[in-house]
């Protein structure tokens, strides 16, 4: 390199990003939210050759995971999800009686690294503010810079087309709420609407989560805490096995839809 030219630095950054963004305008699966369920889903999809991108509002990835339990950056994972932690090479400390503990920061790092290495792209600082609805199904997402959203300035959005959308937005189930608000009759017929999560009951919440992970509306799969919020099931605190299992199940459902189409 013949010295650093600042304009060239700008050029390669913009070119690299735009190439990736252009490539993501038509994808198989759009995952909304780079929390544990979203990154797990994206990993398993990309690993099977499905063109997958995650759109994440925040500058950082991991959603609620790096905070652990009340800012003790540790998470509890149940035996059922051990296999997934092995797949992600997350180190586990076994406290017996089925209580497995992982470092929350390591878990985020490993999920993110494996997700990217599998071929899924992660676009941070982008919010999904709407969906594309055509022929009775969800077939894309409407994006805007999170900074514009935060500043509340009127900037018209751009669109990414995808065969399937996975709502992995966590406790607020944002994409399902958008669908309920704008295409309400159909979502209500199927699910009774977005009920909202119930108070803490870790065991019940974890059990319900896997069943609640499903295609909630044609083209829209709900995963992670959003799935429990939709179904009115309990929250579960810093217990994360269900998030991994839910992400994996969402990937399997999405894979079936994508390969059927
Ligand atoms: O909240 P989050 O971590 O969801 P999750 O995968 O995991 C839940 C656990 O963290 C925890 C728990 C454990 O038992 O209950 O809470 O279900 O990650 C959701 C991500 O989605 C992003 C948000 O910034 C977060 O990183 N997000 C939410 N809404 C949007 C969004 C949106 N409209 N557009 C883009 N990203």
């Amino acid at each position: 390199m013949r010295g650093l030219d600042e304009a060239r630095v700008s050029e390669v950054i913009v070119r690299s990003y735009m190439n990736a963004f252009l490539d993501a305008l038509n994808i198989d699966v759009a995952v909304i939210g780079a929390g544990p369920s979203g990154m797990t889903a994206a990993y398993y999809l990309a690993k099977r050759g499905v063109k997958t991108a995650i759109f994440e509002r925040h500058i950082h990835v991991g959603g609620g995971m790096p905070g652990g339990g009340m800012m003790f950056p540790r998470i509890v994972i149940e035996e059922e999800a051990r296999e997934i932690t092995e797949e992600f090479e997350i180190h586990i400390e076994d406290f017996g009686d089925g209580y497995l503990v992982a470092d929350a920061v390591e878990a985020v790092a490993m999920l993110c690294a494996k997700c990217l290495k599998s071929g899924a792209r992660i676009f941070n600082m982008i919010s999904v503010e709407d969906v594309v609805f055509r022929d009775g199904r969800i077939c894309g997402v409407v994006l805007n810079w999170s900074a514009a959203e935060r500043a509340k300035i009127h900037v018209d959005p751009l669109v990414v087309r995808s065969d399937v959308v996975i709502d992995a937005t966590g406790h607020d189930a944002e994409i399902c709420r958008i669908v309920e608000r704008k295409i309400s009759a159909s979502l209500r017929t199927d699910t009774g609407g977005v009920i909202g999560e119930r108070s803490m009951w870790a065991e019940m919440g974890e059990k319900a989560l896997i069943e609640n992970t499903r295609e909630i509306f044609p083209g829209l799969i709900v995963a992670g805490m959003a799935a429990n919020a939709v179904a009115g099931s309990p929250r579960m605190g810093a217990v994360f096995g269900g998030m991994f299992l839910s992400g994996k199940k969402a990937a399997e459902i999405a894979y079936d839809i994508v390969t059927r189409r």
Side-chain angles (χ1 to χ4, degrees):
M1 194 196 279
R2 277 171 278 109
L4 270 175
D5 174 353
E6 292 86 349
R8 180 91 174 116
V9 170
S10 308
E11 183 198 325
V12 296
I13 285 176
V14 174
R15 276 194 201 286
S16 167
Y17 188 85
M18 286 311 159
N19 287 340
F21 193 56
L22 283 170
D23 188 52
L25 294 184
N26 285 287
I27 51 180
D28 296 322
V29 181
V31 179
I32 320 308
S37 64
M39 287 198 287
T40 304
Y43 165 77
Y44 281 108
L45 283 164
K47 194 181 163 199
R48 297 176 84 177
V50 177
K51 194 172 177 188
T52 307
I54 302 182
F55 299 98
E56 166 55 51
R57 168 178 286 140
H58 283 297
I59 199 165
H60 61 263
V61 299
M65 199 155 63
M70 211 182 88
M71 291 202 276
F72 295 99
R74 296 289 182 276
I75 54 175
V76 166
I77 296 156
E78 308 91 311
E79 193 58 48
E80 292 88 325
R82 188 194 279 267
E83 206 182 301
I84 302 182
T85 62
E86 284 167 4
E87 177 85 12
F88 283 102
E89 297 179 66
I90 297 167
H91 174 76
I92 289 296
E93 212 179 335
D94 193 338
F95 279 79
D97 303 337
Y99 287 86
L100 311 176
V101 173
D103 180 315
V105 176
E106 184 197 334
V108 172
M110 297 310 288
L111 240 60
C112 181
K114 289 265 185 175
C115 193
L116 293 168
K117 292 281 178 207
S118 72
R121 286 195 196 279
I122 301 179
F123 294 93
N124 60 343
M125 299 179 277
I126 290 182
S127 295
V128 171
E129 60 172 53
D130 203 349
V131 295
V132 184
F133 177 62
R134 208 61 50 82
D135 301 326
R137 59 179 285 115
I138 309 299
C139 56
V141 285
V142 179
L143 308 175
N144 222 324
W145 298 116
S146 305
E149 179 189 61
R150 291 241 161 144
K152 295 188 168 39
I153 45 179
H154 183 160
V155 179
D156 276 328
L158 293 175
V159 164
V160 160
R161 295 298 293 256
S162 64
D163 283 347
V164 178
V165 173
I166 297 181
D167 181 347
T169 61
H171 297 258
D172 294 331
E174 286 195 30
I175 311 307
C176 293
R177 285 189 193 278
I178 290 168
V179 172
E180 183 185 41
R181 212 169 52 241
K182 298 197 176 184
I183 321 166
S184 56
S186 322
L187 183 65
R188 287 215 177 95
T189 304
D190 184 20
T191 64
V194 180
I195 298 168
E197 71 182 31
R198 293 292 190 247
S199 291
M200 179 84 82
W201 188 352
E203 192 170 343
M204 190 63 100
E206 287 287 271
K207 273 194 190 129
L209 180 51
I210 310 310
E211 195 160 317
N212 293 337
T213 302
R214 63 196 186 97
E215 188 181 22
I216 192 168
F217 186 85
L220 176 66
I221 296 164
V222 65
M225 201 52 219
N228 274 11
V230 168
S233 298
R235 63 188 304 193
M236 62 292 271
V239 181
F240 277 75
M243 297 301 146
F244 300 148
L245 291 162
S246 168
K248 190 174 181 197
K249 181 177 175 191
E252 280 156 14
I253 300 168
Y255 184 81
D256 285 347
I257 298 171
V258 167
T259 49
R260 255 195 343 248
R261 279 173 71 78

